[in-house]
Amino acid sequence: MFENFIFETLQNGFWNEYLGKEKVFIFKFNDGKIKRYILNKDNEKEILNLCQEFADCKFDSIDKMLRDNNFYKEIYFKK
């Protein structure tokens, strides 16, 4: 399974996300603990806070963060 690859290879202190029918975020904390989220209205703020913490960067929103990513912009957000 693709996610198993992410779980095994993702370095501590980083996250990975992928978009499909759902927007999935996988965070691997410095202690090796992994948290997986499927983005929804109830957890959007928590995911945004984790992205900001892991990246040490301020993002206006998850949507804007993804739209500003050249990979996603070209594939998922074409006008």
Side-chain angles (χ1 to χ4, degrees):
M1 185 163 133
F2 175 70
E3 285 190 10
N4 288 337
F5 176 77
I6 294 171
F7 296 155
E8 293 170 9
T9 59
L10 190 62
Q11 294 181 5
N12 292 359
F14 288 86
W15 90 85
N16 184 272
E17 77 278 336
Y18 63 91
L19 310 182
K21 289 182 181 180
E22 301 170 315
K23 294 176 183 170
V24 178
F25 288 77
I26 299 169
F27 296 89
K28 192 167 189 181
F29 292 82
N30 286 328
D31 64 1
K33 180 181 174 185
I34 295 173
K35 288 185 94 176
R36 179 187 181 275
Y37 297 87
I38 297 173
L39 179 65
N40 62 48
K41 295 282 184 200
D42 294 331
N43 64 20
E44 184 173 5
K45 183 70 172 165
E46 182 177 358
I47 293 170
L48 179 61
N49 287 338
L50 286 171
C51 289
Q52 293 177 142
E53 178 184 330
F54 275 58
D56 193 24
C57 185
K58 177 77 171 141
F59 302 111
D60 293 332
S61 69
I62 290 177
D63 185 61
K64 181 157 177 21
M65 177 185 74
L66 294 174
R67 286 180 183 276
D68 288 347
N69 181 304
N70 287 334
F71 176 77
Y72 293 130
K73 184 186 299 184
E74 292 177 14
I75 294 175
Y76 293 101
F77 299 111
K78 287 184 178 181
K79 290 187 177 183

